[in-house]
mmCIF file of all heavy atoms in Angstrom:
data_model
loop_
_atom_site.group_PDB
_atom_site.id
_atom_site.type_symbol
_atom_site.label_atom_id
_atom_site.label_comp_id
_atom_site.label_asym_id
_atom_site.label_seq_id
_atom_site.Cartn_x
_atom_site.Cartn_y
_atom_site.Cartn_z
ATOM 1 N N ARG A 1129 86.456 126.031 181.020
ATOM 2 C CA ARG A 1129 86.337 126.184 182.474
ATOM 3 C C ARG A 1129 86.957 127.518 182.901
ATOM 4 O O ARG A 1129 86.247 128.428 183.276
ATOM 5 C CB ARG A 1129 87.019 125.008 183.181
ATOM 6 C CG ARG A 1129 86.355 123.662 182.867
ATOM 7 C CD ARG A 1129 87.165 122.491 183.398
ATOM 8 N NE ARG A 1129 87.350 122.574 184.843
ATOM 9 C CZ ARG A 1129 86.443 122.170 185.729
ATOM 10 N NH1 ARG A 1129 85.305 121.659 185.331
ATOM 11 N NH2 ARG A 1129 86.683 122.272 187.024
ATOM 12 N N GLU A 1130 88.280 127.623 182.784
ATOM 13 C CA GLU A 1130 88.944 128.893 183.110
ATOM 14 C C GLU A 1130 88.828 129.883 181.962
ATOM 15 O O GLU A 1130 88.802 131.099 182.170
ATOM 16 C CB GLU A 1130 90.412 128.626 183.430
ATOM 17 C CG GLU A 1130 91.186 129.844 183.876
ATOM 18 C CD GLU A 1130 92.630 129.504 184.212
ATOM 19 O OE1 GLU A 1130 92.864 128.469 184.870
ATOM 20 O OE2 GLU A 1130 93.521 130.280 183.812
ATOM 21 N N PHE A 1131 88.778 129.358 180.739
ATOM 22 C CA PHE A 1131 88.584 130.193 179.543
ATOM 23 C C PHE A 1131 87.650 129.459 178.590
ATOM 24 O O PHE A 1131 87.408 128.260 178.731
ATOM 25 C CB PHE A 1131 89.926 130.521 178.872
ATOM 26 C CG PHE A 1131 90.762 129.314 178.540
ATOM 27 C CD1 PHE A 1131 90.645 128.659 177.317
ATOM 28 C CD2 PHE A 1131 91.697 128.820 179.455
ATOM 29 C CE1 PHE A 1131 91.414 127.544 177.011
ATOM 30 C CE2 PHE A 1131 92.475 127.704 179.159
ATOM 31 C CZ PHE A 1131 92.335 127.069 177.933
ATOM 32 N N ASP A 1132 87.111 130.184 177.604
ATOM 33 C CA ASP A 1132 86.095 129.622 176.716
ATOM 34 C C ASP A 1132 86.638 128.470 175.886
ATOM 35 O O ASP A 1132 87.796 128.475 175.452
ATOM 36 C CB ASP A 1132 85.531 130.711 175.800
ATOM 37 C CG ASP A 1132 84.603 131.668 176.534
ATOM 38 O OD1 ASP A 1132 84.182 131.328 177.660
ATOM 39 O OD2 ASP A 1132 84.298 132.743 175.986
ATOM 40 N N GLY A 1133 85.760 127.466 175.671
ATOM 41 C CA GLY A 1133 86.170 126.240 175.004
ATOM 42 C C GLY A 1133 85.576 126.042 173.632
ATOM 43 O O GLY A 1133 85.372 126.998 172.876
ATOM 44 N N GLY A 1134 85.274 124.781 173.305
ATOM 45 C CA GLY A 1134 85.028 124.369 171.934
ATOM 46 C C GLY A 1134 83.622 124.511 171.404
ATOM 47 O O GLY A 1134 83.388 124.262 170.217
ATOM 48 N N TYR A 1135 82.648 124.939 172.215
ATOM 49 C CA TYR A 1135 81.265 125.074 171.736
ATOM 50 C C TYR A 1135 81.086 126.395 170.979
ATOM 51 O O TYR A 1135 80.220 127.208 171.304
ATOM 52 C CB TYR A 1135 80.280 125.074 172.900
ATOM 53 C CG TYR A 1135 80.050 123.787 173.643
ATOM 54 C CD1 TYR A 1135 80.904 122.687 173.531
ATOM 55 C CD2 TYR A 1135 78.967 123.668 174.512
ATOM 56 C CE1 TYR A 1135 80.677 121.520 174.248
ATOM 57 C CE2 TYR A 1135 78.731 122.510 175.230
ATOM 58 C CZ TYR A 1135 79.579 121.446 175.101
ATOM 59 O OH TYR A 1135 79.353 120.299 175.828
ATOM 60 N N ALA A 1136 81.873 126.614 169.954
ATOM 61 C CA ALA A 1136 81.836 127.888 169.245
ATOM 62 C C ALA A 1136 82.457 127.733 167.859
ATOM 63 O O ALA A 1136 83.094 126.719 167.565
ATOM 64 C CB ALA A 1136 82.597 128.961 170.037
ATOM 65 N N GLU A 1137 82.278 128.743 167.030
ATOM 66 C CA GLU A 1137 82.883 128.712 165.696
ATOM 67 C C GLU A 1137 84.377 128.983 165.750
ATOM 68 O O GLU A 1137 85.122 128.536 164.867
ATOM 69 C CB GLU A 1137 82.179 129.720 164.792
ATOM 70 C CG GLU A 1137 80.730 129.351 164.490
ATOM 71 C CD GLU A 1137 80.029 130.355 163.621
ATOM 72 O OE1 GLU A 1137 80.240 131.569 163.802
ATOM 73 O OE2 GLU A 1137 79.241 129.933 162.741
ATOM 74 N N TYR A 1138 84.827 129.726 166.771
ATOM 75 C CA TYR A 1138 86.250 129.985 166.973
ATOM 76 C C TYR A 1138 86.570 129.837 168.460
ATOM 77 O O TYR A 1138 85.735 130.107 169.324
ATOM 78 C CB TYR A 1138 86.635 131.404 166.528
ATOM 79 C CG TYR A 1138 86.614 131.602 165.037
ATOM 80 C CD1 TYR A 1138 85.452 132.024 164.402
ATOM 81 C CD2 TYR A 1138 87.750 131.371 164.254
ATOM 82 C CE1 TYR A 1138 85.418 132.206 163.024
ATOM 83 C CE2 TYR A 1138 87.728 131.552 162.876
ATOM 84 C CZ TYR A 1138 86.556 131.970 162.269
ATOM 85 O OH TYR A 1138 86.529 132.145 160.903
ATOM 86 N N ALA A 1139 87.805 129.417 168.734
ATOM 87 C CA ALA A 1139 88.275 129.323 170.114
ATOM 88 C C ALA A 1139 89.685 129.876 170.190
ATOM 89 O O ALA A 1139 90.545 129.524 169.363
ATOM 90 C CB ALA A 1139 88.248 127.870 170.596
ATOM 91 N N LEU A 1140 89.940 130.748 171.151
ATOM 92 C CA LEU A 1140 91.288 131.247 171.407
ATOM 93 C C LEU A 1140 91.921 130.335 172.445
ATOM 94 O O LEU A 1140 91.431 130.241 173.573
ATOM 95 C CB LEU A 1140 91.242 132.687 171.917
ATOM 96 C CG LEU A 1140 92.616 133.341 172.126
ATOM 97 C CD1 LEU A 1140 93.329 133.548 170.785
ATOM 98 C CD2 LEU A 1140 92.479 134.665 172.874
ATOM 99 N N LEU A 1141 93.008 129.650 172.052
ATOM 100 C CA LEU A 1141 93.573 128.600 172.891
ATOM 101 C C LEU A 1141 95.070 128.811 173.110
ATOM 102 O O LEU A 1141 95.769 129.310 172.215
ATOM 103 C CB LEU A 1141 93.352 127.231 172.234
ATOM 104 C CG LEU A 1141 91.891 126.861 171.950
ATOM 105 C CD1 LEU A 1141 91.825 125.556 171.174
ATOM 106 C CD2 LEU A 1141 91.099 126.771 173.242
ATOM 107 N N PRO A 1142 95.581 128.408 174.279
ATOM 108 C CA PRO A 1142 97.025 128.500 174.515
ATOM 109 C C PRO A 1142 97.789 127.640 173.505
ATOM 110 O O PRO A 1142 97.391 126.510 173.213
ATOM 111 C CB PRO A 1142 97.188 127.948 175.930
ATOM 112 C CG PRO A 1142 95.838 128.044 176.553
ATOM 113 C CD PRO A 1142 94.857 127.869 175.442
ATOM 114 N N ASN A 1143 98.875 128.157 172.984
ATOM 115 C CA ASN A 1143 99.689 127.385 172.033
ATOM 116 C C ASN A 1143 100.127 126.049 172.629
ATOM 117 O O ASN A 1143 100.273 125.053 171.914
ATOM 118 C CB ASN A 1143 100.913 128.194 171.611
ATOM 119 C CG ASN A 1143 100.554 129.410 170.780
ATOM 120 O OD1 ASN A 1143 99.522 129.431 170.111
ATOM 121 N ND2 ASN A 1143 101.403 130.436 170.824
ATOM 122 N N SER A 1144 100.343 126.036 173.937
ATOM 123 C CA SER A 1144 100.818 124.814 174.588
ATOM 124 C C SER A 1144 99.802 123.681 174.532
ATOM 125 O O SER A 1144 100.161 122.513 174.726
ATOM 126 C CB SER A 1144 101.170 125.102 176.047
ATOM 127 O OG SER A 1144 100.022 125.585 176.748
ATOM 128 N N LEU A 1145 98.532 123.993 174.258
ATOM 129 C CA LEU A 1145 97.500 122.952 174.179
ATOM 130 C C LEU A 1145 97.332 122.389 172.776
ATOM 131 O O LEU A 1145 96.733 121.326 172.603
ATOM 132 C CB LEU A 1145 96.140 123.501 174.636
ATOM 133 C CG LEU A 1145 95.901 123.712 176.118
ATOM 134 C CD1 LEU A 1145 94.428 124.049 176.346
ATOM 135 C CD2 LEU A 1145 96.292 122.484 176.928
ATOM 136 N N LEU A 1146 97.824 123.083 171.774
ATOM 137 C CA LEU A 1146 97.525 122.717 170.386
ATOM 138 C C LEU A 1146 98.392 121.547 169.927
ATOM 139 O O LEU A 1146 99.617 121.575 170.026
ATOM 140 C CB LEU A 1146 97.725 123.918 169.471
ATOM 141 C CG LEU A 1146 96.842 125.135 169.792
ATOM 142 C CD1 LEU A 1146 97.094 126.247 168.788
ATOM 143 C CD2 LEU A 1146 95.359 124.753 169.823
ATOM 144 N N MET A 1147 97.730 120.523 169.388
ATOM 145 C CA MET A 1147 98.406 119.335 168.879
ATOM 146 C C MET A 1147 98.218 119.278 167.367
ATOM 147 O O MET A 1147 97.098 119.066 166.889
ATOM 148 C CB MET A 1147 97.816 118.076 169.525
ATOM 149 C CG MET A 1147 98.020 117.991 171.014
ATOM 150 S SD MET A 1147 97.311 116.475 171.749
ATOM 151 C CE MET A 1147 95.598 116.953 171.921
ATOM 152 N N PRO A 1148 99.275 119.474 166.582
ATOM 153 C CA PRO A 1148 99.122 119.396 165.124
ATOM 154 C C PRO A 1148 98.825 117.969 164.692
ATOM 155 O O PRO A 1148 99.416 117.014 165.196
ATOM 156 C CB PRO A 1148 100.484 119.867 164.609
ATOM 157 C CG PRO A 1148 101.436 119.596 165.729
ATOM 158 C CD PRO A 1148 100.657 119.771 166.990
ATOM 159 N N ILE A 1149 97.905 117.812 163.761
ATOM 160 C CA ILE A 1149 97.468 116.504 163.305
ATOM 161 C C ILE A 1149 97.474 116.460 161.784
ATOM 162 O O ILE A 1149 97.002 117.393 161.128
ATOM 163 C CB ILE A 1149 96.043 116.184 163.810
ATOM 164 C CG1 ILE A 1149 96.011 116.125 165.331
ATOM 165 C CG2 ILE A 1149 95.515 114.875 163.209
ATOM 166 C CD1 ILE A 1149 96.815 114.998 165.932
ATOM 167 N N THR A 1150 98.009 115.384 161.242
ATOM 168 C CA THR A 1150 97.905 115.113 159.806
ATOM 169 C C THR A 1150 96.884 114.004 159.624
ATOM 170 O O THR A 1150 97.020 112.926 160.206
ATOM 171 C CB THR A 1150 99.259 114.670 159.234
ATOM 172 O OG1 THR A 1150 100.221 115.697 159.460
ATOM 173 C CG2 THR A 1150 99.147 114.392 157.738
ATOM 174 N N THR A 1151 95.841 114.268 158.832
ATOM 175 C CA THR A 1151 94.767 113.282 158.729
ATOM 176 C C THR A 1151 93.928 113.490 157.471
ATOM 177 O O THR A 1151 93.873 114.599 156.924
ATOM 178 C CB THR A 1151 93.841 113.356 159.957
ATOM 179 O OG1 THR A 1151 92.853 112.331 159.874
ATOM 180 C CG2 THR A 1151 93.155 114.705 160.051
ATOM 181 N N THR A 1152 93.272 112.412 157.051
ATOM 182 C CA THR A 1152 92.277 112.472 155.979
ATOM 183 C C THR A 1152 90.882 112.209 156.524
ATOM 184 O O THR A 1152 89.921 112.118 155.755
ATOM 185 C CB THR A 1152 92.598 111.419 154.896
ATOM 186 O OG1 THR A 1152 92.610 110.112 155.500
ATOM 187 C CG2 THR A 1152 93.948 111.683 154.260
ATOM 188 N N LEU A 1153 90.738 112.079 157.835
ATOM 189 C CA LEU A 1153 89.446 111.777 158.432
ATOM 190 C C LEU A 1153 88.490 112.963 158.313
ATOM 191 O O LEU A 1153 88.920 114.122 158.380
ATOM 192 C CB LEU A 1153 89.607 111.429 159.915
ATOM 193 C CG LEU A 1153 90.398 110.162 160.255
ATOM 194 C CD1 LEU A 1153 90.588 110.052 161.767
ATOM 195 C CD2 LEU A 1153 89.685 108.930 159.717
ATOM 196 N N PRO A 1154 87.197 112.705 158.167
ATOM 197 C CA PRO A 1154 86.227 113.805 158.201
ATOM 198 C C PRO A 1154 86.197 114.436 159.588
ATOM 199 O O PRO A 1154 86.541 113.799 160.591
ATOM 200 C CB PRO A 1154 84.891 113.128 157.854
ATOM 201 C CG PRO A 1154 85.099 111.684 158.151
ATOM 202 C CD PRO A 1154 86.549 111.395 157.927
ATOM 203 N N TRP A 1155 85.764 115.686 159.646
ATOM 204 C CA TRP A 1155 85.839 116.433 160.889
ATOM 205 C C TRP A 1155 85.061 115.779 162.024
ATOM 206 O O TRP A 1155 85.515 115.777 163.172
ATOM 207 C CB TRP A 1155 85.339 117.863 160.688
ATOM 208 C CG TRP A 1155 86.268 118.714 159.885
ATOM 209 C CD1 TRP A 1155 86.040 119.251 158.651
ATOM 210 C CD2 TRP A 1155 87.598 119.123 160.258
ATOM 211 N NE1 TRP A 1155 87.141 119.974 158.223
ATOM 212 C CE2 TRP A 1155 88.104 119.920 159.192
ATOM 213 C CE3 TRP A 1155 88.405 118.910 161.374
ATOM 214 C CZ2 TRP A 1155 89.374 120.486 159.224
ATOM 215 C CZ3 TRP A 1155 89.672 119.480 161.410
ATOM 216 C CH2 TRP A 1155 90.145 120.251 160.341
#
């Protein structure tokens, strides 16, 4: 909305939004 989102191969995102996840699930 204010900046480009997830419909892309790469996204530049604020660090404050990033949630680290440990998982074995497929993407």
Side-chain angles (χ1 to χ4, degrees):
R1129 297 171 59 82
E1130 184 179 317
F1131 54 90
D1132 286 345
Y1135 289 15
E1137 293 179 321
Y1138 289 90
L1140 184 67
L1141 302 174
N1143 292 334
S1144 60
L1145 285 189
L1146 300 182
M1147 296 180 278
I1149 297 295
T1150 301
T1151 184
T1152 59
L1153 295 174
W1155 289 114

